[in-house]
Amino acid sequence: QKEVEQNSGPLSVPEGAIASLNCTYSDRGSQSFFWYRQYSGKSPELIMFIYSNGDKEDGRFTAQLNKASQYVSLLIRDSQPSDSATYLCAVSGGFKTIFGAGTRLFVKA
Amino acid sequence: EAGVTQFPSHSVIEKGQTVTLRCDPISGHDNLYWYRRVMGKEIKFLLHFVKESKQDESGMPNNRFLAERTGGTYSTLKVQPAELEDSGVYFCASSPQGALGTEAFFGQGTRLTVV
């Protein structure tokens, strides 16, 4: 079993729709959860982080964490073509951060 | 303020040769990480420095890889001798805190191609 699992996609949504990206992790001791966005040929950039169960909203982005289910998600409201990228879920239990393989998102204009 | 910089941006070498990648973290960041992304796979942790000390090198694939961080500033990652499966993008990240938290920054990566 992979430590951090994501559906590789591609996930295709129309412009203006809600994009929902999901991630599960295996280490119950994980404490910090991150979503990175990576455009093709670019470095990952941190867009959201969450530490506590529940929802965390930042602009069009909402991160959701359920530690009991070992599940973290990212919702992107009013998706824009510029949101098209690979979204990486990352989980940290201390000094090491483990990444998922990423989900490719396409937002169609 | 300069971000995390990596050099070179792209390297093409023959199997058996040696390559050295360099990472300059953001000034003042004690924590420096190396990651690698092989095509089609997830980003994999290689190792973590706290200043000049190796905190965790459990992700280093084998003894052909050697990372150093002299003086706790920039870091180098040497691959000697390079093999075909070493091809991928090598990312460096730095953070002032222990885990990659809210102040984590990645470099642009070095794309290594071994032919």
Side-chain angles (χ1 to χ4, degrees), chain A:
Chain A
Q1 181 189 9
K2 291 183 179 179
E3 294 182 75
V4 179
E5 293 209 50
Q6 295 182 254
N7 188 324
S8 62
L11 173 66
S12 184
V13 300
E15 184 176 0
I18 296 175
S20 178
L21 306 165
N22 304 315
C23 172
T24 59
Y25 60 94
S26 60
D27 183 0
R28 284 195 171 274
S30 300
Q31 301 164 357
S32 310
F33 307 86
F34 310 92
W35 283 99
Y36 286 82
R37 177 177 60 198
Q38 185 175 24
Y39 293 111
S40 180
K42 303 293 185 182
S43 59
E45 57 177 328
L46 182 68
I47 55 173
M48 287 286 290
F49 64 92
I50 186 167
Y51 302 138
S52 304
N53 277 327
D55 295 359
K56 179 180 179 181
E57 187 174 320
D58 183 2
R60 296 186 296 112
F61 299 98
T62 299
Q64 300 175 315
L65 174 62
N66 184 325
K67 290 187 178 181
S69 300
Q70 296 174 241
Y71 174 93
V72 58
S73 66
L74 178 70
L75 301 178
I76 306 176
R77 289 181 300 281
D78 189 23
S79 296
Q80 302 298 309
S82 58
D83 294 327
S84 298
T86 295
Y87 289 80
L88 305 169
C89 172
V91 175
S92 176
F95 290 102
K96 184 190 300 184
T97 299
I98 307 297
F99 284 83
T103 298
R104 291 171 59 201
L105 172 66
F106 289 113
V107 181
K108 298 175 292 185

Side-chain angles (χ1 to χ4, degrees), chain B:
Chain B
E1 177 185 354
V4 177
T5 57
Q6 292 186 245
F7 182 82
S9 58
H10 195 177
S11 179
V12 181
I13 62 171
E14 292 184 350
K15 176 182 173 181
Q17 290 186 322
T18 298
V19 63
T20 300
L21 314 181
R22 173 170 170 148
C23 169
D24 286 72
I26 292 174
S27 177
H29 284 192
D30 287 343
N31 296 280
L32 186 150
Y33 307 82
W34 283 99
Y35 286 82
R36 174 174 74 170
R37 184 165 195 159
V38 173
M39 186 175 292
K41 305 283 187 179
E42 63 267 32
I43 294 177
K44 289 276 196 180
F45 169 84
L46 295 179
L47 87 160
H48 168 215
F49 282 100
V50 177
K51 297 184 180 179
E52 67 276 8
S53 299
K54 292 176 184 175
Q55 176 74 28
D56 182 349
E57 54 183 330
S58 61
M60 295 287 265
N62 51 60
N63 58 10
R64 295 186 292 104
F65 289 75
L66 176 64
E68 294 180 323
R69 192 182 181 193
T70 305
T73 54
Y74 71 90
S75 175
T76 58
L77 179 65
K78 183 181 348 183
V79 185
Q80 179 183 30
E83 298 290 343
L84 298 179
E85 64 264 25
D86 300 333
S87 296
V89 182
Y90 290 76
F91 289 104
C92 173
S94 73
S95 169
Q97 298 176 7
L100 282 182
T102 61
E103 297 168 298
F105 296 89
F106 276 80
Q108 291 294 320
T110 293
R111 181 174 294 278
L112 174 65
T113 304
V114 182
V115 297

